Amino acid sequence: MANAFANQIQNRNYLSPVGFRFTLAKTPKAVFFCNSARIPEISLDLARQPNYLKDIDVPGEKLTYGDLTLRFLVDENLENYMSIHNWLTGLGYPETTQQFKDLITSDGIQDQKEAFSDGSLYILNSNYRESAVVKFKDLFPVSISSLEFDSTMSDIQYFTAEVSFKYTVYTITSSI
């Protein structure tokens, strides 16, 4: 009988969608006001095993990761928005190659890894204590949303921006 209880879930509290914190090593200002994040989807490619009646799907060899998308409140000095904007334009260097050189140079030392940043999504339990960590390796931004100004609005709705990142891989580890 004791064995029947060994397979039961010990903690029966549900995971809250408001219990999270995100950190990004390269641009901590951008994520200070982060109000939405999601663990991206992950899928396994399939291989087809030929069969004379019906082809059979079998597990493939490659994983495909979805984009990491964050939404954050924009501060009135645009510091958090501009940190992502400058990182993005540094990667694309639309005006001069110097923009990329400025991006990968820190303290006079050139480092290609400066174009990337690691990030972590901390999942918090019902007591707002860390229960799991999702670690993203080699993040870089691929898009940031626009900011639309409109003087005809009757109520003030503060700006939120959405940024999408590509990355190499993510891992989820339990803190328990």
Side-chain angles (χ1 to χ4, degrees):
M1 191 67 162
N3 218 7
F5 293 112
N7 293 331
Q8 297 294 318
I9 294 175
Q10 298 299 315
N11 182 349
R12 294 182 184 230
N13 292 328
Y14 300 116
L15 184 62
S16 170
V18 298
F20 74 96
R21 179 174 45 95
F22 189 80
T23 61
L24 187 60
K26 187 171 186 64
T27 59
K29 290 180 181 179
V31 295
F32 180 75
F33 292 118
C34 183
N35 61 6
S36 174
R38 77 175 86 172
I39 299 174
E41 67 275 3
I42 183 173
S43 61
L44 179 65
D45 291 341
L46 297 175
R48 298 235 175 203
Q49 179 180 342
N51 189 309
Y52 69 96
L53 294 175
K54 175 190 177 291
D55 290 346
I56 300 170
D57 291 332
V58 294
E61 298 174 346
K62 292 183 181 178
L63 291 174
T64 304
Y65 293 91
D67 293 349
L68 170 64
T69 303
L70 303 174
R71 190 174 59 233
F72 61 94
L73 289 162
V74 179
D75 67 282
E76 71 178 5
N77 294 330
L78 292 163
E79 285 183 61
N80 55 4
Y81 186 86
M82 290 304 296
S83 64
I84 298 293
H85 177 272
N86 293 342
W87 185 7
L88 195 56
T89 55
L91 289 171
Y93 48 93
E95 294 174 17
T96 66
T97 55
Q98 184 64 38
Q99 289 174 301
F100 183 71
K101 288 180 184 175
D102 292 343
L103 175 72
I104 63 169
T105 302
S106 64
D107 301 328
I109 301 168
Q110 275 198 325
D111 185 3
Q112 292 287 340
K113 288 206 172 249
E114 285 292 317
F116 305 99
S117 179
D118 291 345
S120 298
L121 177 63
Y122 296 90
I123 310 299
L124 308 177
N125 64 17
S126 57
N127 294 324
Y128 292 100
R129 296 203 176 147
E130 187 180 307
S131 65
V133 180
V134 184
K135 292 188 178 192
F136 296 89
K137 182 145 180 65
D138 297 334
L139 287 161
F140 63 95
V142 291
S143 69
I144 189 165
S145 63
S146 62
L147 299 177
E148 182 181 344
F149 293 87
D150 183 357
S151 63
T152 63
M153 293 177 72
S154 58
D155 264 349
I156 293 179
Q157 294 176 335
Y158 295 103
F159 278 117
T160 58
E162 199 166 275
V163 60
S164 292
F165 292 95
K166 295 284 187 185
Y167 51 91
T168 306
V169 67
Y170 74 80
T171 58
I172 302 175
T173 56
S174 177
S175 300
I176 299 171

